[in-house]
């Protein structure tokens, strides 16, 4: 880790009160630290373990994730969702000359889960705006069953070996794919409930193609090189605006 920028700090265990030192990673630069991809996925630097009682804490601090091969530069801004998002992004874009990198998409994220999600999205060569737009479909289905949801994060793609309906999966069908809908790739997500439970859910490829078409119709399929925050709240607002334009209540 000689090339990794770190900062020393301390964490107080919420269970036993022990105060212990940790290292924060200021920048996950995969060019300097190619083996760090797995470290980012595991999230150990955001989930320190108390050496006294073994309790794992969850912390959040400013950090950057840069992966030129994947074409992404994300800045972790803790609690950005509770701030004036437009003002934060305006400030970040004002400093783009210093923060920006050529040939990558720039993103702001509000927590570790969203930063690791950006890595997985790029690993599968997906459009991150389209991935966000898939989440309300699954969350809405769970909410209709009485579940209270905090958030959702993309985990990967399942390639079914047989064309059989899977539990916990939302399916969309078009005239072109109606016959083979259950054999399509399934985009997998972890849905985080407000009680801390995690529910794996999926949605088929037809849904991804539908939201991609929605983005193209709005001229949002391509990136403009500036910092943006695309999250669940953005996705819900996007769907609501589409319904309003369509004259739905």
């Amino acid at each position: 880790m000689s090339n990794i920028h770190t900062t020393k700090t301390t964490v107080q265990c919420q269970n036993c009160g022990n105060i212990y030192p940790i290292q924060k990673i200021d920048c996950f630069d995969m060019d300097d630290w190619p083996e760090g991809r797995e470290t980012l996925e595991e999230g150990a630097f955001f989930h320190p373990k108390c050496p006294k009682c073994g309790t794992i804490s969850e912390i959040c601090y400013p950090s950057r994730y840069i992966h030129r091969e994947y074409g992404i530069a994300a800045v972790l801004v803790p609690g950005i969702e509770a701030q004036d998002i437009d003002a934060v992004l305006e400030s970040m874009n004002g400093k783009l000359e210093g923060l920006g990198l050529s040939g990558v998409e720039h993103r702001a994220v509000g927590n570790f889960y969203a930063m690791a999600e950006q890595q997985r999205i790029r690993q599968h060569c997906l459009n991150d705006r389209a991935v966000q737009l898939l989440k309300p479909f699954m969350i809405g289905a769970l909410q209709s069953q009485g579940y209270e949801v905090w958030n959702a994060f993309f985990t990967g793609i399942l390639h079914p070996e047989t064309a059989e309906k899977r539990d916990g999966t939302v399916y969309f069908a078009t005239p072109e794919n109606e016959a083979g809908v259950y054999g399509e790739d399934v985009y997998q997500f972890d849905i985080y409930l407000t009680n801390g439970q995690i529910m794996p859910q999926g949605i088929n490829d037809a849904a991804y193609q539908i939201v991609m078409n929605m983005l193209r119709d709005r001229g949002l399929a391509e990136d403009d090189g500036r910092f943006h925050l695309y999250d669940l709240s953005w996705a819900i607002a996007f769907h609501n605006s589409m319904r309003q334009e369509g004259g739905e209540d």
Side-chain angles (χ1 to χ4, degrees), residues 39-52:
T39 300
L40 177 61
E41 283 286 337
E42 294 174 350
F45 284 91
F46 294 92
H47 297 88
K49 184 177 181 179
C50 176
K52 184 175 180 180

Side-chain angles (χ1 to χ4, degrees), residues 204-220:
N204 68 322
D205 182 65
Y208 181 81
Q209 301 307 323
I210 288 171
V211 295
M212 276 300 299
N213 287 333
M214 293 166 60
L215 289 170
R216 293 188 188 101
D217 290 343
R218 286 203 163 192
L220 296 175

